[in-house]
Amino acid sequence: MKVSLLARIAILLIAITTGACTSAPSNVLTIGAAGPMTGDQSKMGIDLRHGVELAVDEWNAKGGVLGKRIVMQVEDDQHDPKQAVAVANKLVNSGVVGVIGHWNSSASIPASGVYSQGKVVMITPASTNPRLTEQGFPTVFRICGRDDQQGPLAARFVRERFPNAAVAVLHDKTTYGQGLAEEFQRALGAGPRVVFSSGVTQGDKDFRAVLTTVKAARPEIIFFGGIYPEAALLVRQARELGLTAPFISGDGTYDQKFLEIAGPAADGTYLTFGPDPADFPQSQAFLTKYHERFGPHGPYSIYAYDAANILLSAIAQAGTTDGLKLAEVIRGTSHQGAQGEIRFDARGDVLNAPYIVWIVKQGRFEQFWRPG
Amino acid sequence: MFLQQLINGLTLGGVYALVALGYTMVYGILELINFAHGEIYMLGAYIGIIALGLFTAWGWTAAAPALSLLAAVAVAAVYCGAVGATVERLAYRPLRRAHRLTPLISAIGVSIVLQNVVMLTQGSADKVFPRLSDAPTTFAVAGATVSALQLWIVGISAALMGSLHLLIRKTRLGLAMRATAQDPRMASLVGVPVNRVITATFVIGSALAAVAGVMVGLYYGVVNFFIGYVAGIKAFTAAVLGGIGNVPGAMLGGVILGVLEGLGAGYLSNEYKDVIAFVILILVLIVRPTGLMGERIPDKV
């Protein structure tokens, strides 16, 4: 035990020293990939990294971009705003030509200020909080939808399917979770009434106290704004307490990990997320390649892949790595991605981000409802 | 709803009490706050996952869920007891005559090492506990829901605390432990094998923490390498609340803390759930530093 520990320390030291002296030679271009690579949400960061990696390898196989080989610099923000800023500074200082990330809105928003100042293009594959693109940063893009689209969709679904229902609203107090819960609540309108509303602590493992209070409020449906580690435990512990009202949540809960942790208790949970890429002919090539290399794709793998392709083709088209020029090209071009056509508006949001309602049935996500 | 929060709180309290016992026993004998104790609890949860994973693969959990639970608990207790003894031998015993702060720093070091060993070998992502059954058995009691697992947790905690009390009060080992706690040098002069008693204390405390770890892992459904930190602080609070160094005090402190946390989260604010433990810790330290059942400890010269 003592020896293996020493060996680990030695490996760590070597890793730190080699990591510290990577300086980019001029015949390569570095693009950054940032997200939660370790910790409870690491599945999301790793999906993001895999998506970018696939795109980078395809470009390198075709000879790179501007005659240079592309390398990836992966950084772990641990879904922590402070860490995200540190990571952003590190990426800007090492001269990346653009960053795919971050995953969490609470990481993307503070990091976007650093990228904007460094005139580095940032394309987030997953951060849905509206504020990210409302800051007026020219180099900040978002390739997924916004919470003021998916929150109101969830509200409309509840209005139509659970008219006049008693609704409980929970969120994880993060930029994303609380923001989404507020968008949902604002769009709920007359009819359904909110009987309970509270935050839970991210990273907590025991939600029985708050769920007992929720149960006493007798909701007919429970909205949760947050990510799958908390969502799965909420659903699981609610069922153990005899709280049978269905949950409805957002894109942060859409992952296999949610099903794995929640187990049979996940059945009947509603989620808002984009449509399944498996249904689109243009996504098939990506899905096949991804499955061969990394196994099943995560919810945001395809978004990360498209984001990396958009960045790299903009560099090829602009013939430069100047961030502001790249941003102009990205904004002015219609991109053909694995998800279909992608175009950005003046703020840096995608023009078309369809959300639908999914349901968990017998341990699988199924498309359930789309706005008529 | 009151009853439900009380049941939730009692379950938590039993767990806090088990972990608090390890703090208080070690403090009683060595006057050392063993900051690595929370990590032993976390390690216990991981051993529980591995054991239950194996039992599931062998088909034991399906055949006899209760026996599998007990077997997993036993495996974790034995393993963590050994780790506790090793930690004492390697990190604390060489510092027995050093300044009081030195073993404290060593304890923090052990805590970091254990966390990182688990992170490197088991990964940093949450680990899902194998489910003992797909539909958990629950009982309805006056509008509240009690799960079979909650009964197990309370039952096992109570049984272990009772056994520990008997061990300390009725056996030769217990007598030796009490003697060592009073004055290690005097105890050694009258023939008490002080080092062996200290090892036994670490083994017992660590085994109790491991039992708590496995049960909490099952109760929450997931564990990660960081759970020992918050659990450690809460159990430490429970030990201080009961009077650190006082064994029945740790049991009482654990149960009170769990119940207060459950009721506070239910009636005051769920968002400040963890704050309740820290407020109690600060209040106890200001108002009654010796805790509920602690006697005034004369300063050792």
Side-chain angles (χ1 to χ4, degrees):
Chain A
M1 181 175 167
K2 228 178 150 190
V3 174
S4 70
L5 193 69
L6 278 176
R8 285 206 184 96
I9 292 170
I11 291 166
L12 258 180
L13 286 176
I14 293 164
I16 290 164
T17 39
T18 48
C21 56
T22 42
S23 57
S26 57
N27 59 342
V28 301
L29 282 184
T30 313
I31 78 169
M37 302 293 167
T38 60
D40 53 351
Q41 296 174 15
S42 54
K43 165 81 166 52
M44 295 294 136
I46 291 164
D47 284 346
L48 183 154
R49 192 186 82 205
H50 286 164
V52 178
E53 203 175 321
L54 196 62
V56 166
D57 287 357
E58 283 174 15
W59 277 83
N60 278 335
K62 288 186 290 183
V65 66
L66 304 182
K68 293 178 181 178
R69 210 169 59 81
I70 307 149
V71 294
M72 255 174 96
Q73 183 173 345
V74 181
E75 294 293 346
D76 179 13
D77 66 22
Q78 298 165 8
H79 67 80
D80 173 11
K82 292 188 294 291
Q83 192 64 22
V85 170
V87 157
N89 276 308
K90 191 173 166 197
L91 285 168
V92 170
N93 288 337
S94 46
V96 293
V97 295
V99 174
I100 308 305
H102 297 214
W103 195 79
N104 308 74
S105 295
S106 50
S108 285
I109 292 174
S112 65
V114 177
Y115 297 128
S116 167
Q117 233 174 6
K119 299 192 175 55
V120 169
V121 170
M122 155 185 170
I123 309 176
T124 174
S127 299
T128 47
N129 189 281
R131 226 164 63 219
L132 175 65
T133 47
E134 306 279 336
Q135 303 172 103
F137 294 150
T139 59
V140 173
F141 296 89
R142 157 172 32 221
I143 197 175
C144 56
R146 294 164 44 124
D147 290 339
D148 51 8
Q149 295 168 300
Q150 67 166 328
L153 179 86
R156 191 171 153 191
F157 172 75
V158 168
R159 268 202 316 271
E160 283 188 21
R161 291 296 177 104
F162 297 83
N164 305 318
V167 185
V169 179
L170 293 170
H171 60 78
D172 65 3
K173 295 192 277 192
T174 64
T175 310
Y176 162 72
Q178 187 162 4
L180 179 60
E182 280 164 7
E183 296 290 354
F184 167 78
Q185 224 168 316
R186 201 172 301 144
L188 210 48
R193 52 190 203 289
V194 176
V195 292
F196 181 82
S197 169
S198 171
V200 299
T201 308
Q202 207 175 32
D204 201 351
K205 304 275 175 249
D206 184 14
F207 301 109
R208 283 178 176 78
V210 65
L211 287 169
T212 301
T213 327
V214 169
K215 191 183 170 193
R218 298 178 185 280
E220 287 150 82
I221 185 159
I222 305 161
F223 184 88
F224 176 62
I227 321 270
Y228 64 88
E230 287 78 29
L233 291 182
L234 276 167
V235 172
R236 185 170 162 169
Q237 295 175 3
R239 299 298 173 256
E240 279 168 22
L241 282 170
L243 175 57
T244 50
F247 276 78
I248 176 165
S249 188
D251 61 310
T253 299
Y254 184 98
D255 189 72
Q256 287 300 320
K257 278 271 171 196
F258 170 72
L259 304 177
E260 191 190 322
I261 300 169
D267 271 22
T269 301
Y270 304 102
L271 310 133
T272 50
F273 190 60
D276 189 357
D279 293 347
F280 302 138
Q282 69 269 21
S283 309
Q284 298 309 316
F286 162 81
L287 292 177
T288 318
K289 276 179 284 186
Y290 193 95
H291 284 225
E292 265 170 29
R293 271 192 67 179
F294 306 115
H297 65 285
Y300 280 106
S301 308
I302 193 167
Y303 291 84
Y305 175 78
D306 275 350
N309 275 320
I310 287 171
L311 174 67
L312 292 169
S313 48
I315 295 172
Q317 199 182 328
T320 170
T321 57
D322 180 272
L324 291 173
K325 292 215 177 80
L326 289 182
E328 250 172 66
V329 172
I330 292 172
R331 201 166 271 125
T333 318
S334 161
H335 311 269
Q336 280 306 319
Q339 301 177 88
E341 194 198 16
I342 296 165
R343 286 173 64 190
F344 292 97
D345 65 11
R347 285 180 310 212
D349 282 321
V350 278
L351 282 181
N352 183 25
Y355 277 101
I356 61 171
V357 174
W358 293 71
I359 189 170
V360 180
K361 264 193 190 155
Q362 280 157 354
R364 294 166 55 95
F365 292 111
E366 283 181 21
Q367 310 193 25
F368 184 67
W369 183 87
R370 43 190 87 222
Chain B
M1 183 171 123
F2 176 79
L3 188 64
Q4 184 73 60
Q5 300 285 18
L6 195 69
I7 293 166
N8 298 344
L10 272 177
T11 316
L12 268 188
V15 169
Y16 290 160
L18 282 187
V19 185
L21 282 170
Y23 277 107
T24 225
M25 282 164 62
V26 167
Y27 186 87
I29 289 187
L30 287 180
E31 292 192 21
L32 160 73
I33 309 284
N34 180 11
F35 277 117
H37 194 58
E39 307 330 318
I40 301 279
Y41 154 94
M42 177 272 295
L43 196 65
Y46 272 90
I47 300 298
I49 286 198
I50 294 167
L52 280 175
L54 282 177
F55 296 167
T56 309
W58 296 338
W60 292 8
T61 42
L67 273 180
S68 309
L69 168 65
L70 289 178
V73 162
V75 169
V78 169
Y79 186 95
C80 289
V83 172
T86 314
V87 165
E88 191 273 329
R89 186 71 191 76
L90 295 179
Y92 304 143
R93 194 177 298 179
L95 303 172
R96 189 82 38 85
R97 292 207 179 81
H99 187 271
R100 272 185 67 178
L101 283 181
T102 318
L104 203 68
I105 292 163
S106 176
I108 293 170
V110 170
S111 151
I112 295 171
V113 167
L114 287 177
Q115 258 186 33
N116 284 281
V117 166
V118 172
M119 190 188 84
L120 289 171
T121 53
Q122 298 293 318
S124 64
D126 283 4
K127 282 254 172 201
V128 184
F129 243 86
R131 271 180 296 277
L132 288 179
S133 67
D134 272 352
T137 321
T138 55
F139 312 95
V141 185
T145 312
V146 189
S147 69
L149 187 61
Q150 284 178 317
L151 293 180
W152 274 105
I153 292 177
V154 173
I156 292 180
S157 311
L160 286 176
M161 286 190 269
S163 320
L164 181 69
H165 187 75
L166 289 180
L167 179 106
I168 291 175
R169 288 288 144 196
K170 305 278 179 201
T171 64
R172 277 180 70 84
L173 176 63
L175 186 68
M177 282 165 84
R178 280 181 285 147
T180 312
Q182 269 183 11
D183 188 337
R185 181 176 293 177
M186 194 59 213
S188 74
L189 286 179
V190 296
V192 174
V194 171
N195 274 334
R196 254 194 279 161
V197 169
I198 291 173
T199 305
T201 310
F202 271 88
V203 169
I204 294 169
S206 304
L208 292 178
V211 173
V214 179
M215 294 195 305
V216 160
L218 270 174
Y219 187 50
Y220 293 172
V222 293
V223 294
N224 59 42
F225 71 96
F226 205 60
I227 55 165
Y229 178 71
V230 173
I233 290 185
K234 295 226 176 119
F236 175 65
T237 306
V240 172
L241 175 63
I244 190 136
N246 184 307
V247 170
M251 302 179 188
L252 183 72
V255 173
I256 290 181
L257 183 66
V259 169
L260 281 182
E261 204 181 290
L263 295 180
Y267 289 98
L268 295 176
S269 161
N270 156 68
E271 296 176 51
Y272 289 94
K273 195 179 72 161
D274 288 343
V275 176
I276 293 167
F278 302 130
V279 169
I280 291 174
L281 179 60
I282 293 167
L283 283 182
V284 171
L285 287 178
I286 294 173
V287 179
R288 195 177 158 84
T290 52
L292 293 176
M293 294 174 76
E295 294 128 39
R296 222 184 73 78
I297 306 159
D299 285 331
K300 290 210 172 172
V301 185

